[in-house]
Amino acid sequence: MSMIEVRGLTVAFGGLLALDHINLTVNPGEIRGIIGPNGAGKTTLLNMVSCISQPSSGDVLLDGQSILGWKPSKVASHGVKRTFQSSLLFKGMTVLENVMAGLHGQLKASPIAAALGLPSVWRDEREATRRAHATLEFVGMSQFAERDGGELSFGQQRIIEIARALVSEPRVLLLDEPAVGLSINRVAELDTLLRRIRDERGVTIIMIEHVLRLVMNVCDRITVLSSGKKIAEGGADEIIANSDVVEAYLGRALDASRQEP
């Protein structure tokens, strides 16, 4: 059974079709890349899968079950976590506290127990702290645990956001441009991290990304959107050789990557 399946997904904003009958199947343990020019509908697609928005028509299935009408919190409780294009770390909180926030909804102590300071609250706190430290170690950012999240570079904050999504041990990770703001060395480290998330934790990853080197290296399959339509799908070699993709996106993206900084 597929992990995520999108069937005939259509999203209309007024007279504009942001997505036009998109079909997509993502298997368990797959790293799927979603690429395309600006305005192609990539983030809209992730918004539908995470139930931040609802489609005009079509369906989204998780483990073969329709999730239309679900709240984002319910999708998250079923193991689907997401990061966004812009940094969403909580300023005034340490990196460790930011990662611990990813466990919201999983802690067992009731509000009454918290108000009374019962032992179950302290057990929850210790377990959340342990898991957050372990996750920071996993992503290679443990040295920043006590730093204020707002003091980190934008690229470092992106990695912490991945850690915050990972701490709850999701089954599916939706990443919206995780490499934005990263140096070349950090992109290489992200490549390794994404493979480890898949191989060591068994997480299925769907990733929007404009850094083509990362997409071509790490993704098992790549879906290309343009003007709300799916124009190609396949492995890296197939995508690079596809004339429609080159005309719609890759040619411009590759030309831009060759420009002097």
Side-chain angles (χ1 to χ4, degrees):
M1 181 183 294
S2 60
M3 181 68 76
I4 297 286
E5 185 176 357
V6 171
R7 296 178 179 173
L9 201 66
T10 298
V11 178
F13 298 115
L16 173 68
L17 278 180
L19 292 175
D20 188 0
H21 292 89
I22 299 297
N23 294 301
L24 182 73
T25 300
V26 181
N27 295 319
E30 180 180 352
I31 301 178
R32 173 65 63 93
I34 309 291
I35 67 172
N38 291 333
K42 303 182 297 296
T43 296
T44 300
L45 178 59
L46 284 199
N47 287 344
M48 300 302 119
V49 173
S50 55
C51 290
I52 289 176
S53 304
Q54 296 295 316
S56 304
S57 62
D59 205 353
V60 179
L61 290 82
L62 172 65
D63 296 327
Q65 177 184 4
S66 175
I67 60 174
L68 287 187
W70 285 20
K71 293 182 178 180
S73 58
K74 183 175 180 180
V75 178
S77 72
H78 279 69
V80 180
K81 292 299 178 75
R82 143 147 214 210
T83 67
F84 294 83
Q85 288 181 2
S86 57
S87 177
L88 294 175
L89 291 192
F90 301 113
K91 294 177 175 58
M93 292 173 58
T94 67
V95 166
L96 182 69
E97 290 167 338
N98 267 279
V99 176
M100 290 171 65
L103 290 169
H104 176 72
Q106 288 195 357
L107 303 181
K108 299 176 182 178
S110 68
I112 295 176
L116 296 176
L118 297 182
S120 59
V121 176
W122 298 110
R123 286 195 294 270
D124 269 0
E125 183 79 11
R126 286 195 298 271
E127 177 61 12
T129 301
R130 183 195 66 77
R131 290 173 64 176
H133 274 299
T135 304
L136 284 172
E137 182 71 28
F138 182 83
V139 302
M141 299 290 282
S142 58
Q143 68 272 32
F144 299 106
E146 301 306 323
R147 290 273 298 275
D148 187 300
E151 295 177 357
L152 271 59
S153 69
F154 186 76
Q156 291 169 332
Q157 291 185 42
R158 301 297 284 171
I159 302 300
I160 299 304
E161 288 174 346
I162 293 176
R164 185 168 61 192
L166 274 180
V167 72
S168 61
E169 300 178 356
R171 297 183 300 131
V172 181
L173 198 55
L174 309 177
L175 304 177
D176 198 344
E177 298 191 33
V180 66
L182 299 186
S183 66
I184 293 176
N185 289 339
R186 281 288 187 182
V187 169
E189 292 172 1
L190 179 60
D191 183 315
T192 300
L193 175 60
L194 293 176
R195 294 175 194 272
R196 290 182 59 221
I197 291 171
R198 188 263 314 275
D199 297 340
E200 298 178 25
R201 299 202 170 196
V203 178
T204 302
I205 298 173
I206 303 176
M207 174 177 70
I208 295 172
E209 189 49 73
H210 286 291
V211 179
L212 292 181
R213 178 186 304 176
L214 176 64
V215 175
M216 298 302 173
N217 283 346
V218 78
C219 293
D220 300 303
R221 290 176 65 78
I222 301 164
T223 299
V224 187
L225 301 181
S226 182
S227 300
K229 297 179 181 292
K230 184 171 76 173
I231 62 172
E233 191 169 81
D237 291 342
E238 296 173 88
I239 296 302
I240 291 173
N242 188 302
S243 59
D244 291 336
V245 177
V246 172
E247 180 180 355
Y249 176 60
L250 280 183
R252 283 178 288 172
L254 291 173
D255 286 343
S257 69
R258 295 190 186 104
Q259 292 178 2
E260 292 295 327

